[in-house]
Amino acid sequence: MNDDQLLRYSRHILLPEIGVEGQEAILAARVLVVGAGGLGSPAAMYLAAAGVGTLVLCDGDTVDLTNLQRQILHSAEGVGRLKVESGRDTLLRLNPFARVETVAARLEGDALDAQVAAADVVLDCSDNFATRHAINRACVRHRKPLVSGAAIRFDGQVSVFDLRQGESPCYHCLFPEGQEVEEIRCAVMGVFAPLTGIIGATQAAEALKLLVGCGTTLDGRLLLLDGLGMEWRSVTLGRDPGCAVCAGRGDA
């Protein structure tokens, strides 16, 4: 780290759980953020501010006026622009030391596989089950830690699936693909603006802890937030030995 970086990240370095070594691990990291909307906005901003060396921002959508109520990565001047381009500009203004790579498309197939394989941590900030399951399969395949978040109306949830660990559950263990699960969209049901900030910031916190190797992550737990009552609830998750995606992953 140069003198400017030592000063910029001094409040992390002062934390004994992070220190110089932890901050250097953050600076050397590559983090994949899938989705540059309500969750991806605060998550990417905190990761960039914290000094993550390379952020890969993936989203195929453009900025819409209705996004601005909660998607703080974007501004009125960005309406009509690609979200990844608008987001990249915001992140570089926040931290010129950051390297931001963009993928202006829905990440799937070989492209998804390659990005997950190259990442140290993956953040699922998407808004549909098909993408979430595709990300989970790639993370299981490459044994990459996955930080998953969701927010709708006043309800949020976040969990970590540390797929480097043999006994950790995967997203499919919690929400089996093909199960009858109602897909609710913000465009239909609405979403409380600060809720996405709370969940996205929590995703960023979990990602940084994974990169540094400090604290206790949400691996094996699902954290649920009732935003109306402002109450958190933690649910223990177990790995499904019959899971169609991660069964047989083992400990090796």
Side-chain angles (χ1 to χ4, degrees):
M1 280 184 282
N2 59 36
D3 289 344
D4 285 345
Q5 289 173 310
L6 285 168
L7 188 59
R8 175 181 283 265
Y9 306 123
S10 61
R11 298 308 188 268
H12 262 178
I13 294 169
L14 286 169
L15 296 169
E17 295 85 355
I18 297 180
V20 171
E21 286 188 4
Q23 186 61 45
E24 286 179 339
I26 293 170
L27 290 166
R30 181 184 179 91
V31 176
L32 174 62
V33 180
V34 183
L39 300 176
S41 289
M45 291 174 76
Y46 271 112
L47 292 172
V52 168
T54 302
L55 277 170
V56 184
L57 197 60
C58 304
D59 199 305
D61 289 343
T62 56
V63 180
D64 186 83
L65 190 60
T66 61
N67 300 150
L68 302 184
Q69 162 254 13
R70 66 201 176 281
Q71 298 184 16
I72 58 174
L73 201 55
H74 315 295
S75 64
E77 291 76 17
V79 170
R81 293 187 69 196
L82 287 167
K83 286 186 178 179
V84 292
E85 292 182 356
S86 168
R88 176 195 59 209
D89 292 350
T90 299
L91 296 176
L92 292 178
R93 283 195 299 271
L94 190 63
N95 188 352
F97 290 113
R99 180 183 176 191
V100 182
E101 297 181 9
T102 61
V103 179
R106 179 170 175 169
L107 204 56
E108 55 190 354
D110 291 342
L112 171 62
D113 204 61
Q115 289 290 354
V116 169
D120 295 300
V121 175
V122 178
L123 274 70
D124 180 2
C125 301
S126 65
D127 63 354
N128 65 88
F129 284 114
T131 299
R132 290 172 187 159
H133 281 292
I135 294 169
N136 177 67
R137 287 193 297 271
C139 287
V140 169
R141 189 156 50 247
H142 295 288
R143 299 186 72 116
K144 300 291 184 175
L146 171 62
V147 184
S148 177
I152 193 72
R153 294 180 293 213
F154 289 90
D155 300 316
Q157 64 182 45
V158 60
S159 187
V160 169
F161 305 98
D162 191 348
L163 299 161
R164 301 169 299 182
Q165 312 300 324
E167 291 308 309
S168 295
C170 77
Y171 183 82
H172 189 278
C173 293
L174 178 60
F175 297 111
E177 196 168 8
Q179 193 179 61
E180 288 297 322
V181 179
E182 184 182 7
E183 188 135 76
I184 304 172
R185 299 289 184 136
C186 295
V188 178
M189 301 304 297
V191 60
F192 186 48
L195 177 70
T196 58
I198 296 168
I199 300 300
T202 304
Q203 287 182 266
E206 292 299 294
L208 292 170
K209 285 158 57 183
L210 286 163
L211 292 173
V212 173
C214 69
T216 301
T217 72
L218 286 170
D219 184 36
R221 289 184 291 152
L222 177 65
L223 201 58
L224 300 164
L225 173 62
D226 169 9
L228 270 180
M230 203 47 72
E231 293 183 343
W232 289 94
R233 184 163 61 97
S234 180
V235 178
T236 301
L237 304 177
R239 183 177 173 190
D240 178 4
C243 177
V245 173
C246 73
R249 186 171 82 242
D251 298 310

